[in-house]
Amino acid sequence: MNPQNNGTLHATIALTLISLAALAPGLAQAQTIKIGVPVPLSGSSAAAGTDILNGAKLAAAKINAAGGVLGKQIELVPEDDACDAQTAVQAAQKLVDAGVVAVAGGYCSSAALPELTAFHRAGIPYVLDASTNPKLTEMGYDNVFRTIGRDDEQGPFAASFMKNSLHVKRAAVIDDNTTYAKGLAQNTVESLKKMGVDVVYADSITPGQMDYSPTLTKVSSLKPDVIYYTGYFSEAGLLVKEARQVGLKMTFMGGDGTNDPTLMKTAGPAADGMIITTAPLAQFLAGAHDYLDQYNKSYGQGPGPYSVYEYDAVDVTAKAIADAKSAKPADISAALHKITNYPGATGTIGFNPKGDRSRAVYITVVVHNDQFEPYQRQDASGKWVAMK
């Protein structure tokens, strides 16, 4: 190649690069706004993760049908964290690499904690829909928010129900040694002791076992009035089934990790009468009727417990993007902090300075005829009243 041709080639390449650079802003304008959804899509919590993702899809579809945000469509980017800390680190990094500007999701706190660290490092806001461990909003990060309550709110609520509604004198508390379950168990035990209830048993089981009868036999010998299990629904179903098989008659309760319909599939009739402390389920929320209809139409069944909180998490993230008039992560976080009275399907949403939901609500539900039915709540004075 002669020098003249070589120079012409270099000039052509340079002009091409300049043209591509000039086009880049236009290409960026055509891009979608990516929101990450880290949830368990494999393992024992896959049903819950799929349900949460379905809620995110319904929110994105509604937003996009109304024209999107800032003239762009919302694009969800799901990643499987398997409720496992190491897998969660990898899932979070994949979302960062994919260019998400915000994240709405989470289920197991044990996965959400390492995810949050990765998102904080990247400056990406994380709106949690189901992860309730207090540590998530106690690390001083300005990019974490919650549409759900905390374990140190649910623990005293559960203890008050046992003491003042069930009038128990002796309680057994069992966890599954996960971050979420141990946190809820600890907060419940502390509250029970303060209320003068004798905690006769407080220990962990190992998830994944098929026989919990040794633990149940030991608990039975201590004669508690109630057993409160703070782990997840997969083990809860086996525990209550085996408890009834070995003749335990006391009240069996579960925390909000047990509020999944899979509980009844695992336990069968043994689940009847089990009482669960939980954030209000979609079917008991006045503002979630349209959501229930859409979920049933889209997926041929009713939603699980957290998909409506994920629906609100995506909605409130889109609201923050619109308010900020920007899809930059730092601007989204700043706008989320300013939200105080967003009318979500789960009620009014606002965030306190830590990022926690400022008006978290808990209720009790009871399993009856293979369904969750409303049971009791506290009124404004703290008195336990029946739910209609």
Side-chain angles (χ1 to χ4, degrees):
M1 181 180 292
N2 66 47
Q4 185 175 358
N5 289 341
N6 194 34
T8 301
L9 177 62
H10 287 166
T12 302
I13 292 172
L15 285 170
T16 301
L17 290 173
I18 291 169
S19 298
L20 287 171
L23 282 172
L27 291 172
Q29 290 292 328
Q31 291 176 348
T32 57
I33 294 176
K34 294 181 178 180
I35 297 178
V37 184
V39 285
L41 298 174
S42 61
S44 62
S45 297
T50 300
D51 178 62
I52 290 169
L53 180 56
N54 287 345
K57 289 177 179 177
L58 289 178
K62 179 191 69 175
I63 294 163
N64 289 338
V69 185
L70 306 182
K72 299 180 181 180
Q73 296 282 282
I74 295 292
E75 179 187 350
L76 299 179
V77 185
E79 279 295 339
D80 179 16
D81 65 22
C83 272
D84 172 75
Q86 187 57 47
T87 306
V89 171
Q90 298 166 1
Q93 190 57 52
K94 287 179 182 178
L95 291 175
V96 173
D97 294 343
V100 301
V101 300
V103 179
Y107 181 61
C108 296
S109 293
S110 54
L113 281 163
E115 287 166 356
L116 174 59
T117 300
F119 296 139
H120 178 69
R121 192 180 302 120
I124 296 170
Y126 191 5
V127 184
L128 297 153
D129 70 297
S131 301
T132 54
N133 188 271
K135 187 178 178 181
L136 285 156
T137 47
E138 290 290 341
M139 292 189 286
Y141 294 167
D142 64 356
N143 67 312
V144 58
F145 306 86
R146 247 193 280 244
T147 59
I148 198 79
R150 296 168 36 138
D151 295 335
D152 52 0
E153 294 169 320
Q154 184 181 183
F157 173 87
S160 174
F161 175 77
M162 291 181 227
K163 168 73 173 178
N164 300 314
S165 180
L166 297 183
H167 306 293
V168 307
K169 291 181 170 49
R170 298 166 64 83
V173 180
I174 304 173
D175 67 74
D176 67 0
N177 213 29
T178 62
T179 301
Y180 151 72
K182 286 185 74 67
L184 178 54
Q186 180 181 351
N187 281 285
T188 304
V189 167
E190 289 174 356
S191 297
L192 285 168
K193 289 180 177 178
K194 287 179 183 177
M195 294 176 186
V197 175
D198 186 11
V199 180
V200 298
Y201 184 90
D203 207 347
S204 307
I205 60 166
T206 302
Q209 294 184 356
M210 297 305 294
D211 182 11
Y212 296 107
S213 56
T215 296
L216 291 167
T217 299
K218 182 176 181 180
V219 170
S220 178
S221 70
L222 300 171
K223 297 181 169 48
D225 302 311
V226 64
I227 297 174
Y228 186 48
Y229 178 64
T230 65
Y232 293 94
F233 57 85
S234 50
E235 279 72 39
L238 287 173
L239 274 168
V240 70
K241 185 176 183 178
E242 291 180 9
R244 300 316 183 204
Q245 286 174 344
V246 298
L248 273 63
K249 303 292 185 184
M250 69 282 291
T251 301
F252 202 101
M253 290 180 58
D256 58 354
T258 68
N259 60 7
D260 190 280
T262 309
L263 170 76
M264 287 82 89
K265 295 177 183 176
T266 304
D272 236 44
M274 182 174 173
I275 300 171
I276 295 169
T277 59
T278 180
L281 306 182
Q283 57 265 42
F284 308 143
L285 289 163
H289 294 317
D290 288 344
Y291 175 77
L292 280 168
D293 290 343
Q294 285 300 317
Y295 197 102
N296 275 288
K297 288 177 184 176
S298 299
Y299 304 111
Q301 61 183 24
Y306 294 108
S307 64
V308 69
Y309 292 89
E310 173 70 0
Y311 181 82
D312 275 353
V314 173
D315 259 1
V316 80
T317 301
K319 165 70 172 169
I321 295 169
D323 288 350
K325 297 181 175 60
S326 167
K328 294 180 180 178
D331 295 339
I332 299 170
S333 288
L336 281 163
H337 276 291
K338 295 176 182 177
I339 290 175
T340 56
N341 290 292
Y342 180 76
T346 60
T348 301
I349 297 174
F351 302 109
N352 67 21
K354 292 180 180 179
D356 284 310
R357 184 167 180 161
S358 53
R359 299 179 187 86
V361 176
Y362 283 98
I363 63 170
T364 61
V365 299
V366 63
V367 178
H368 182 64
N369 290 336
D370 221 24
Q371 292 185 341
F372 293 122
E373 294 185 357
Y375 190 57
Q376 291 185 356
R377 63 175 179 83
Q378 285 180 295
D379 64 14
S381 69
K383 180 181 178 182
W384 289 94
V385 296
M387 291 180 63
K388 296 181 180 179

